[in-house]
């Protein structure tokens, strides 16, 4: 995923409104299915939350990446934060992969 583009999209109110609408609809669908598929809904919620967690980190990483790689800032604090976020992003991506694999495996049963 292009984290710089994601950070730019965060400035677009229409994009934010659509994301909020999707989040609401997904939560409604999960709640509607809870009674009949409680275990699967827990895994679906876990997968959904892993995307939200990644999104938060990816947006800040994208903003910092743009400042460091495109704007070529020499601000040591921004560079330090960029390096920190750079090392944090992979585990969030793995969390998404793992939660979706877990959901898909349970869904096949």
């Amino acid at each position: 995923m292009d984290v710089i583009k994601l950070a730019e999209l965060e400035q677009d109110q229409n994009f934010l409104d659509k994301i909020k609408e999707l989040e609401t609809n997904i939560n409604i669908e999960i709640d509607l299915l809870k009674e009949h598929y409680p275990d699967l809904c827990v895994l679906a919620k876990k997968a959904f939350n892993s995307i939200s967690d990644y999104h938060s980190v990816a947006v800040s990483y994208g903003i910092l990446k743009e400042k460091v790689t495109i704007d070529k800032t020499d601000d040591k604090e921004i560079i330090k934060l960029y390096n920190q976020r750079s090392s944090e992003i992979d585990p969030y991506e793995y969390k998404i992969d793992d939660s979706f694999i877990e959901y898909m495996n349970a869904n096949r049963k």
Side-chain angles (χ1 to χ4, degrees):
M1 172 172 287
D2 183 347
V3 292
I4 293 175
K5 182 65 176 167
L6 181 61
E8 289 172 1
L9 285 170
E10 282 293 304
Q11 306 306 311
D12 181 347
Q13 190 60 46
N14 289 331
F15 174 77
L16 295 176
D17 291 344
K18 289 292 181 187
I19 293 295
K20 190 67 171 165
E21 182 181 333
L22 282 170
E23 289 174 348
T24 300
N25 290 336
I26 289 169
N27 283 319
I28 289 170
E29 294 297 326
I30 290 172
D31 285 341
L32 289 173
L33 295 170
K34 261 186 201 174
E35 184 178 330
H36 299 289
Y37 307 100
D39 294 339
L40 196 57
C41 286
V42 167
L43 294 175
K45 190 67 173 173
K46 182 178 174 183
F48 178 73
N49 288 340
S50 68
I51 294 170
S52 295
D53 294 344
Y54 171 81
H55 179 257
S56 299
V57 173
V59 168
S60 65
Y61 176 54
I63 292 167
L64 293 166
K65 185 174 183 176
E66 181 175 26
K67 289 181 184 309
V68 171
T69 62
I70 295 173
D71 299 342
K72 305 290 186 195
T73 186
D74 57 357
D75 184 319
K76 291 184 186 338
E77 191 61 33
I78 290 176
I79 294 169
K80 180 181 173 184
L81 287 172
Y82 168 73
N83 289 332
Q84 179 183 347
R85 278 290 186 247
S86 178
S87 68
E88 294 172 350
I89 198 80
D90 284 344
Y92 285 94
E93 290 175 350
Y94 300 144
K95 185 178 169 186
I96 291 173
D97 292 342
D98 293 346
S99 64
F100 272 91
I101 289 169
E102 186 177 11
Y103 172 80
M104 294 306 292
N105 287 336
N107 191 30
R108 290 182 189 145
K109 293 179 183 177

